[in-house]
Amino acid sequence: MKSKAFFSDPTSIVDHMCKSLAQQNPSLRYDSTNKVLYRPTNHNSTKVSIISGGGSGHEPAHAGYVGEGMLDAAVCGKVFASPNFDQIISAFDRVATPGGILVIVKNYTGDKLNFGLATETYQAQTGVPTHIVTVADDVSVPHSRGKLVGRRGLAGAVLIHKVSGAAAASGLSLSDVAKVAQHVSDNMATIGCSLDYANLPGGVDLPSIPENTIELGMGIHNEPGAQRISPQPTIEKLVSQMCRLLLNESDPEHGFLKFHGIPHNKAELALMVNDLGGLSVLELQAIANVVLECLKEEYDIKPVRIYVNTYLTALDAPGFSITIANLSPQLFSSDINLISLIDEPVKSNSWATCQPVPEAASGTLTPEHEERSRSPKLKQDILCDKRVFTTILKNILSQVTLDEPSLTEYDTLMGDGDCGTTLLAGATAAHALIDQNDESLGNLSKGLMKVASSVRSGMGGTSGALYGIFLNSFVSAVQKNHGDFKNVNIQLFAKSATQALETLKGYTNARENSRTLMDALIPFVNELSTAVFTDNETAVNALQRGLKAAQDGAEATKWMQSSFGRSTYVGASAGDENPTRGIPDPGACGIVAIITGIVKTFQVPSN
C-alpha cells in the first residue's frame, strides 16, 4: 500500500495540529517545546486536574478533548510513539493543583512506563497527589494471550475522559474522580476492525491487507488483529460477531464485560460507534444503525446513550470500533450518577455529544403508522384500458433493459456511470405496479400518479427529479385537459405533454443543444404536437414521428459541448481532442428508449 500524505515530517504535523486547536479555542495554550496542549490553571484551586496523552495519530484524541469539562492537558508524542518523561512533567507543571492530578493512559507499554515514571517522580518531588487509571477495553485480545500485558486501550478511553472531566468539574475529590474513572474502565468493552492498515506520514510503505479480507480486532497502531476473516462477511454478520465478543459473558476468552445478573435489556448502556479515521460519515452512520439493530434484535438492548462520530482514530485506517459501557447504577457503590456525568456540557474542540434516548411511550405510533396530513387527491377518475397501460410499462422496461448497458457505458465516459442503472431502476419500479396487480392501472388518473410516484422514488438523483417533475405535471395536465377531449386519446396526451414540458423548463435551463435529455424530449413533444394538431396524424403515425425526432436529437448530441451535469467537466481542457466527442448523451438516449417502448405498444406486427 503506497503511503500518501500532504505532510512528510511526522513531527511538524503534530506541531501544526496542536497550534490549530489552540487557535480555535482561545481558552487553551500550547507548549510547543513539549507538545502539550493545556488549559491555564489556578494553581491554588482544589479542582482535580485531568491529564491524558500518548502517541499522536489518534486524533481527535487526546488534544481535541482539552477544554472545560474534560481534559486539562494532553501530552502529544510523535506519531504512534509515547511522549517522553520531560514532556509529561511539563504538563503536570502547567495544570497541577492541591486537589491533585488524575492521569488517564491507554494500556501500552511505552505510555504506562513514561506516564508512570512522571507520576511517581512528580508526586515525590512536589507532594501533589496523583493517581493513574489505565484503560484496557479491547475484548479481541483473549484472556490466554493477554495474561501478562493485559488488553489494549482503545476508543473507550474517550468515555473515561468525559466522565472524569465532569466528575472533576463538579468538585469531587481525587479519590472519587479516580473511583469513577476506574469503575467505567472496569465495566467497558471495545472491539474494532479494519479493511486495511493506516498510512503513516513520512512512514514506509506497508503491505495491504488482502482484498475481500477483514482484520478483526486490529490495534490502533497497525498491530495485527486477533483474527483475519476471509471472505469478507456482510456488515450484518460482521457486527453480529463483534457484538457477540462484546456481550457474551460466558465466553472464557473474551467475556470481559460483566452484567452481574442484570438482564441486558435492564442495563443502562452507553454505545459508542467510532470511526478509525478512513470512513465516510455516510458509511459510519450506516454501520451504527446495523449495530443498533443487532443489539435490539439479538440482545433486546436499547442503549441509553448513543455516540456515533470520530472519537479516537488510527490515522486513516478504514475501519470502525464498537464500545459498550455498562453505567448501571446498581453496579457502582456510590450515589454518583454516571449518566449525569456523561451528559454534562463540555467546551472542547472535538467532543461530539448526543441527545438522551427517551423510553418509548406505550402505544407510540411508528412513522409508518402515523397519520399523514397529505394524501393524493384526484379531481376525477379517468377510466382507461388496463391492458394497454400495462403493455406500455412492460415495453418500456424491456427496451430500457436492452439499452441499459450502452447507456451505462456512455455515462461512464461522460458522467458518473449511473444513468443506465438509474433509468432501469425507475422503469422497474413502475413495472412493479403490474406485479402487484394494482387496480389503479385501469384508471388513468390514479395509474399515472402511481407511476410518477414509483419512478420518483425508484430513480432518485437529478434525473429522478426531472422525470418526477415532468410526470407529475403530466398527471395534472391530463386531469385538467380531459374535460376538453372527453376521451383518452392522442390529443389528450399531446396537449398534456406540451404543458408538462413547459413546466419542466421552469426548473432547468437545459434546452436543445445542451447535451442533456432535453435534446430528445423537446423534439419529441414538439413533433408529437405538430403531428396531432397541425397534420391530424393518427396516434401511431404521430408517435412514430415523435420518436424519429427524439432519435435525431439524441444523435446530434454526439458533437455537442456539454453545458449541464458532470459531463461539463469531462475533457474540458482537451479542446478538439475531447474524449466525449462522438458519444451520444446517455440521458437523451434514455428518453429514446422510453419512447421506443411506448411506440412498440401501438405498432401493428408485420406479417
Side-chain angles (χ1 to χ4, degrees):
M1 179 177 65
K2 182 65 176 176
S3 179
K4 297 174 67 177
F6 291 105
F7 284 84
S8 59
D9 181 353
T11 301
S12 69
I13 191 173
V14 175
D15 199 47
H16 282 295
M17 180 270 295
C18 290
K19 288 178 178 176
S20 173
L21 290 174
Q23 292 184 76
Q24 292 172 56
N25 188 340
S27 69
L28 304 185
R29 300 291 183 270
Y30 175 51
D31 173 1
S32 61
T33 301
N34 294 291
K35 305 294 183 290
V36 175
L37 192 71
Y38 64 98
R39 296 177 61 218
T41 299
N42 178 356
H43 294 288
N44 296 318
S45 170
T46 58
K47 175 191 167 298
V48 174
S49 294
I50 312 293
I51 291 179
S52 188
S56 296
H58 304 301
E59 289 67 36
H62 305 84
Y65 301 123
V66 179
E68 184 179 340
M70 217 159 173
L71 299 181
D72 292 286
V75 193
C76 304
K78 296 179 180 178
V79 175
F80 288 178
S82 172
N84 62 38
F85 172 85
D86 291 331
Q87 290 178 267
I88 300 167
I89 287 293
S90 173
F92 285 14
D93 281 337
R94 301 288 184 181
V95 300
T97 73
I101 300 172
L102 178 69
V103 182
I104 302 169
V105 297
K106 298 185 297 301
N107 187 28
Y108 294 98
T109 302
D111 289 341
K112 287 178 64 179
L113 292 177
N114 282 302
F115 276 91
L117 174 60
T119 297
E120 297 302 324
T121 301
Y122 197 81
Q123 182 168 267
Q125 291 181 346
T126 66
V128 173
T130 59
H131 188 95
I132 283 187
V133 169
T134 302
V135 182
D137 52 329
D138 183 6
V139 299
S140 73
V141 179
H143 277 286
S144 58
R145 281 176 49 193
K147 289 180 179 178
L148 296 179
V149 297
R151 297 180 288 152
R152 297 175 293 203
L154 300 176
V158 179
L159 291 177
I160 297 176
H161 295 164
K162 178 65 188 69
V163 295
S164 303
S170 71
L172 294 180
S173 66
L174 177 60
S175 62
D176 281 339
V177 175
K179 182 179 180 181
V180 165
Q182 191 64 58
H183 175 80
V184 175
S185 181
D186 292 342
N187 290 274
M188 179 174 61
T190 299
I191 188 166
C193 67
S194 186
L195 295 168
D196 214 336
Y197 300 110
N199 286 310
L200 275 68
V204 298
D205 295 343
L206 295 171
S208 295
I209 292 174
E211 288 292 325
N212 200 24
T213 302
I214 287 278
E215 190 94 6
L216 181 62
M218 188 171 180
I220 56 174
H221 308 98
N222 282 337
E223 312 102 306
Q227 178 186 1
R228 272 193 181 177
I229 307 175
S230 183
Q232 180 179 335
T234 64
I235 185 62
E236 289 79 10
K237 289 182 178 179
L238 175 63
V239 165
S240 178
Q241 182 172 350
M242 295 171 75
C243 287
R244 188 162 58 250
L245 290 171
L246 288 168
L247 294 165
N248 185 1
E249 290 182 83
S250 61
D251 185 334
E253 289 284 29
H254 304 278
F256 296 99
L257 185 61
K258 301 299 182 182
F259 287 78
H260 301 287
I262 302 172
H264 285 152
N265 61 353
K266 299 297 183 182
E268 295 188 13
L269 305 180
L271 169 70
M272 173 183 283
V273 182
N274 170 61
D275 175 14
L276 288 175
L279 299 185
S280 65
V281 175
L282 171 67
E283 191 167 21
L284 180 68
Q285 292 291 347
I287 289 168
N289 188 62
V290 173
V291 174
L292 288 166
E293 288 180 346
C294 176
L295 292 176
K296 179 61 179 175
E297 293 169 6
E298 297 187 23
Y299 302 94
D300 196 25
I301 287 175
K302 182 180 180 182
V304 297
R305 297 295 182 271
I306 303 167
Y307 299 91
V308 181
N309 215 295
T310 304
Y311 290 98
L312 187 148
T313 64
L315 288 169
D316 60 351
F320 66 94
S321 63
I322 304 171
T323 300
I324 294 178
N326 191 345
L327 305 180
S328 301
Q330 51 268 58
L331 298 181
F332 190 33
S333 57
S334 171
D335 59 357
I336 299 171
N337 189 306
L338 299 176
I339 298 293
S340 295
L341 292 179
I342 209 168
D343 286 342
E344 285 294 318
V346 169
K347 294 180 181 178
S348 74
N349 292 65
S350 302
W351 171 249
T353 189
C354 74
Q355 297 298 317
V357 181
E359 289 290 331
S362 177
T364 299
L365 293 175
T366 63
E368 291 77 11
H369 297 94
E370 288 179 349
E371 182 180 356
R372 296 178 60 161
S373 62
R374 176 173 57 87
S375 59
K377 295 179 175 63
L378 299 172
K379 295 180 181 178
Q380 57 186 317
D381 289 329
I382 304 174
L383 299 181
C384 65
D385 189 330
K386 181 179 180 181
R387 181 186 58 81
V388 174
F389 203 149
T390 57
T391 303
I392 290 174
L393 296 181
K394 289 178 180 178
N395 287 339
I396 289 175
L397 177 59
S398 176
Q399 190 64 43
V400 171
T401 301
L402 182 66
D403 292 350
E404 183 272 326
S406 59
L407 297 178
T408 298
E409 179 184 358
Y410 299 153
D411 198 40
T412 301
L413 296 169
M414 297 181 62
D416 53 7
D418 68 346
C419 179
T421 54
T422 299
L423 186 60
L424 182 58
T428 302
H431 185 272
L433 298 172
I434 301 174
D435 299 332
Q436 298 163 10
N437 196 25
D438 198 307
E439 291 302 318
S440 67
L441 298 182
N443 183 310
L444 188 63
S445 303
K446 293 180 179 178
L448 286 173
M449 188 171 288
K450 286 282 188 74
V451 169
S453 177
S454 298
V455 170
R456 181 181 66 244
S457 300
M459 292 183 69
T462 302
S463 55
L466 292 172
Y467 277 94
I469 291 170
F470 182 85
L471 288 172
N472 279 286
S473 179
F474 184 72
V475 173
S476 298
V478 166
Q479 288 275 307
K480 178 181 178 182
N481 296 328
H482 182 254
D484 296 335
F485 298 103
K486 306 301 181 183
N487 296 312
V488 176
N489 53 32
I490 193 65
Q491 288 82 9
L492 173 63
F493 291 138
K495 183 175 181 179
S496 300
T498 300
Q499 293 172 349
L501 178 62
E502 289 305 309
T503 299
L504 181 59
K505 287 180 178 179
Y507 289 92
T508 176
N509 291 325
R511 298 292 186 269
E512 290 181 272
N513 298 314
S514 295
R515 209 180 193 186
T516 68
L517 62 82
M518 299 293 272
D519 283 290
L521 182 61
I522 292 174
F524 166 72
V525 172
N526 289 343
E527 186 63 23
L528 179 67
S529 180
T530 299
V532 170
F533 295 111
T534 302
D535 300 334
N536 296 313
E537 292 275 16
T538 64
V540 173
N541 289 342
L543 286 169
Q544 288 177 335
R545 282 177 53 174
L547 173 59
K548 178 63 167 58
Q551 290 171 332
D552 292 343
E555 179 70 15
T557 62
K558 288 182 176 180
W559 318 110
M560 293 178 186
Q561 177 65 46
S562 299
S563 53
F564 287 87
R566 290 179 176 87
S567 61
T568 306
Y569 310 105
V570 178
S573 62
D576 292 338
E577 301 301 320
N578 191 319
T580 68
R581 284 181 62 82
I583 299 170
D585 179 73
C589 292
I591 292 290
V592 171
I594 292 170
I595 299 168
T596 300
I598 296 172
V599 170
K600 283 183 177 180
T601 306
F602 301 98
Q603 285 179 334
V604 179
S606 58
N607 295 327

